[in-house]
């Protein structure tokens, strides 16, 4: 990641095609080191390509990746409802809501003194 970050910093700085030396200089300025193999791999993959197009293509790929958040449960709950016998499965799909009553502990918000005393 640090090699990619250094490459992007160089591009943001106006260098449209950073070299291995440019990336090493950026990393050295913050006390980081990187393997030459990783730098060369990155440069071979992005060489001659527009960085904004690469980022746009990456965003499109990431848009199709599931990111959690319980989306699978909604899909599973919707599947029985669309098929036969959906009415019998509907009550089981509703999770029971437990009410949590949190007792507010007495706290000394001003820590025993006032700012304006």
């Amino acid at each position: 990641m640090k090699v990619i970050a250094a490459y992007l910093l160089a591009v943001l700085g106006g260098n449209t095609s950073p070299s291995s030396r440019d990336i090493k200089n950026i990393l050295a300025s913050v006390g980081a080191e990187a393997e030459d193999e990783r730098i060369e791999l990155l440069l071979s993959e992005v060489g001659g390509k527009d960085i904004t197009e690469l980022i746009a293509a990456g965003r499109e790929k990431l848009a199709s990746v599931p990111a959690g958040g319980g989306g699978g449960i909604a899909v599973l709950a919707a599947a029985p409802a669309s098929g036969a016998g959906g009415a019998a499965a509907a009550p089981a799909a509703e999770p029971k809501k437990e009410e949590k009553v949190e007792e507010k502990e007495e706290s000394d918000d001003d820590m025993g003194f006032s700012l304006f005393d």
Side-chain angles (χ1 to χ4, degrees), residues 17-111:
S17 60
S19 67
S20 175
R21 184 175 180 187
D22 296 329
I23 293 172
K24 286 180 184 178
N25 287 340
I26 291 171
L27 291 172
S29 71
V30 295
E33 296 179 6
E35 298 174 11
D36 291 334
E37 295 172 356
R38 293 189 184 266
I39 295 172
E40 294 304 323
L41 176 65
L42 173 70
L43 293 176
S44 68
E45 293 291 324
V46 298
K49 298 177 184 174
D50 182 32
I51 195 68
T52 55
E53 291 176 9
L54 289 173
I55 292 172
R59 284 187 181 184
E60 289 175 12
K61 289 179 182 180
L62 284 176
S64 65
V65 175
I73 295 172
V75 171
L76 292 175
S82 64
E94 293 181 31
K96 294 182 181 179
K97 293 183 180 179
E98 295 181 23
E99 293 183 28
K100 292 185 178 180
V101 178
E102 293 184 23
E103 294 182 24
K104 186 176 179 182
E105 295 181 18
E106 271 189 48
S107 64
D108 197 5
D109 290 335
D110 60 2
M111 296 173 48

